Amino acid sequence: MTLTLRAPAARPSGRRTPRNDTFLLPAVTAAFVLAQLLLVRPGIGLGWDETVYVSQVSGHAPAAFFSAPRARGISALVAPIATWSSSTALLRVYLAVLSGLGLYLALRVWRPLFPAKVLALGGALFASLWVTLFYGPQAMPNYWVAIGALSGVGWFLRAQADRAGRAPLWGLAASAALVALMRPVDAVWVSLPMFAALGVVRRWRHSGLLVVLATGLAIGAAEWVVEAYTGYGGLARRLHEGSLVQGGLRWNIAVDDQMRSQSGRVLCRPCTGGMPNPVLFLWWLALPALAAAGLAVAVRARRAAVTALPLVCAATAAFPYLFLIGYAAPRFLLPAYALIAIPVADGLLSLVRLPRRGTGRRIAGALAAVVLAGHLAVQGAVLHQLVGRATGSHGDWARTAAALHRAGVRPPCLLTGQKRSAPHIPIAFYAACSSADTRGNNTNTTTGALARTAGSTPVAVLTARTTPPPRYARGWPLVHLNGPVYAYVSPAARRTETAGSVRRGGPARTR
């Protein structure tokens, strides 16, 4: 099998790059950063998964239980801020700026392979998705998997075009390491087409490139693999536990679940109910057709490989989240969106240029502008509603944590409870307490250990008013915290509350 990779023709030495082309990519990424800061807002509190990742390096709260599927790459990324500051706003600004820089560098990798206009439009399409804007400034790994995948495929193609160059090899190794550091299993799915191309495409066989790709993945996944043996009983055991946390990986068509989640549901588990308004997911259904248009353009231009490889990598990256799990989270598809963005942009621009007459081209351009404006309006509306819901729920967690402090549950302290009553893991982070579970995916203790801890440490069992306490908490007083959230509070917490009241009340009585 042969597959030719055609690099663009070199520009005449006396011809300068147009000024607008030079500033297209910086303009797109700067707008992306600004949109995150204005639309998502730095003041939004940390989400559930974010509190788990940040707590691993936080100087503010104890580390939460780290379940098998998680990797510590995002914890390392936020460490420069989280280790010394508990400011969520500062962390958001840091991540927004970093995400913009990452997008710029990833797009810049593709500059020798596509015109700047195509890259700028592709970057704008990816950056304007509500899921990209929402997760860019979040302490979550999926956006960074997308950035690593986009740059990695670009470096791979450049390495094929320039066998003597060293920069593409270093770039590929670093990109592969980034993806594996963030989500090792996702790194395998993204890399499969590149490994297959090296083995199947005769003109692409490159033992050095194979070693570089494998080495980058190994370096990025090394910590996760070592931790599998030190904390989970081996690599196979960790993979098995990770599958169980995700409900068991098996054949399951989750395409409809992903469509339901396009209404702005960060987690659709279980994904029940009717479909949202079709306007919210029409763009999602249009992606395959636009990608096919981009591939057709590339075939006619005899550069099919440059477009086909990112599309195939996008397909393998999305495959487990469309066909192997029983729920949906829109962030899971961020790597696929990043990889498909450039071919889609190429297809869109080719459709606009299709009419040869000036009037027809202007009409096509106007129609494309109207469609894109409508697309942006839909993405903005979904993002606005999502940010409002997230701000409200995170604010409730902060208020519940403050009520726990007033009830005497202050650091060092421990929270447990039932997920359906109140999310005790993020609330524990907000209250600077440890979190514990005796069952479920986050099991890290026993009821006996909880009972012993409650004898000397403030412990609270978050619950609903009508839910009876666990056996070890019988006799503990029930305290109303916030809204529908109550807590059974251990005697140690009540002693802390009394001592705090005396300290706070003393100066007041002397006035």
Side-chain angles (χ1 to χ4, degrees):
M1 178 180 179
T2 61
L3 192 59
T4 303
L5 177 64
R6 293 172 60 89
R11 298 186 184 91
S13 58
R15 184 178 176 184
R16 298 180 61 186
T17 302
R19 184 178 178 85
N20 288 341
D21 282 1
T22 303
F23 287 93
L24 279 176
L25 296 187
V28 167
T29 51
F32 175 50
V33 173
L34 186 61
Q36 291 177 69
L37 297 177
L38 293 178
L39 301 179
V40 182
R41 298 192 296 270
I44 186 174
L46 295 179
W48 186 321
D49 291 288
E50 287 186 289
T51 63
V52 175
Y53 288 118
V54 173
S55 71
Q56 307 304 309
V57 294
S58 174
H60 162 71
F65 177 76
F66 210 69
S67 60
R70 301 187 189 276
R72 299 186 183 272
I74 196 67
S75 299
L77 190 70
V78 303
I81 300 297
T83 51
W84 61 272
S85 174
S86 61
S87 171
T88 301
L90 180 61
L91 183 62
R92 295 276 186 236
V93 172
Y94 163 76
L95 288 172
V97 173
L98 207 60
S99 66
L101 178 61
L103 180 60
Y104 171 77
L105 293 176
L107 291 172
R108 191 67 182 82
V109 172
W110 290 80
R111 187 64 185 92
L113 304 173
F114 282 94
K117 289 182 179 180
V118 172
L119 298 179
L121 179 58
L125 291 173
F126 174 65
S128 62
L129 295 177
W130 68 261
V131 64
T132 309
L133 286 166
F134 187 71
Y135 285 103
Q138 288 214 9
M140 296 287 285
N142 311 89
Y143 174 83
W144 296 102
V145 173
I147 292 301
L150 180 61
S151 61
V153 175
W155 283 123
F156 180 91
L157 290 168
R158 287 180 60 174
Q160 289 291 347
D162 180 13
R163 294 295 182 99
R166 295 288 184 181
L169 298 179
W170 284 105
L172 176 61
S175 300
L178 174 63
V179 178
L181 184 65
M182 294 295 168
R183 288 182 72 90
V185 176
D186 283 10
V188 173
W189 286 103
V190 169
S191 303
L192 280 177
M194 290 183 278
F195 282 115
L198 289 172
V200 174
V201 182
R202 181 171 55 84
R203 293 177 62 89
W204 279 20
R205 289 173 185 168
H206 188 335
S207 58
L209 199 56
L210 179 67
V211 171
V212 167
L213 179 58
T215 301
L217 293 174
I219 292 173
E223 188 279 333
W224 195 84
V225 173
V226 170
E227 190 179 52
Y229 287 97
T230 59
Y232 295 89
L235 183 58
R237 181 64 183 172
R238 184 168 194 175
L239 290 170
H240 176 69
E241 288 188 16
S243 173
L244 293 179
V245 169
Q246 295 178 312
L249 297 181
R250 59 190 182 278
W251 181 254
N252 186 88
I253 299 177
V255 176
D256 56 335
D257 293 342
Q258 286 290 348
M259 292 170 65
R260 290 186 180 91
S261 70
Q262 296 309 316
S263 61
R265 300 171 68 175
V266 295
L267 182 63
C268 197
R269 186 179 188 180
C271 208
T272 56
M275 287 288 178
N277 191 315
V279 172
L280 300 179
F281 58 79
L282 278 178
W283 69 271
W284 197 80
L285 296 177
L287 282 179
L290 293 173
L295 183 59
V297 170
V299 170
R300 287 199 302 270
R302 296 185 178 180
R303 49 177 174 80
V306 177
T307 297
L309 184 63
L311 289 179
V312 176
C313 289
T316 58
F319 179 81
Y321 299 114
L322 293 177
F323 300 105
L324 295 182
I325 64 174
Y327 65 99
R331 66 181 184 271
F332 292 159
L333 297 183
L334 274 170
Y337 298 150
L339 288 165
I340 205 175
I342 294 175
V344 165
D346 200 23
L348 279 173
L349 288 176
S350 67
L351 291 175
V352 171
R353 298 191 189 106
L354 193 58
R356 296 188 177 275
R357 292 185 178 182
T359 302
R361 181 168 292 187
R362 285 194 293 271
I363 292 174
L367 288 174
V370 170
V371 171
L372 288 175
H375 172 68
L376 293 177
V378 169
Q379 299 300 312
V382 174
L383 180 66
H384 177 73
Q385 294 181 3
L386 174 58
V387 170
R389 291 197 302 270
T391 302
S393 63
H394 300 170
D396 283 341
W397 296 345
R399 286 185 286 273
T400 301
L404 282 165
H405 288 171
R406 291 193 296 271
V409 183
R410 304 187 188 95
C413 47
L414 186 145
L415 264 60
T416 186
Q418 298 176 334
K419 181 179 177 181
R420 62 177 178 271
S421 301
H424 61 279
I425 292 177
I427 292 173
F429 177 86
Y430 279 74
C433 298
S434 299
S435 57
D437 279 279
T438 58
R439 59 183 178 178
N441 293 332
N442 298 303
T443 301
N444 60 349
T445 190
T446 63
T447 55
L450 276 177
R452 290 190 295 272
T453 301
S456 58
T457 302
V459 174
V461 182
L462 301 188
T463 185
R465 184 176 185 177
T466 57
T467 304
R471 180 176 301 177
Y472 61 84
R474 290 176 183 173
W476 294 5
L478 181 65
V479 178
H480 179 229
L481 298 176
N482 176 53
V485 182
Y486 288 74
Y488 291 100
V489 177
S490 70
R494 306 300 294 180
R495 290 194 295 271
T496 303
E497 179 191 22
T498 302
S501 299
V502 171
R503 287 194 296 271
R504 292 191 299 271
R509 287 193 297 270
T510 61
R511 290 181 180 179

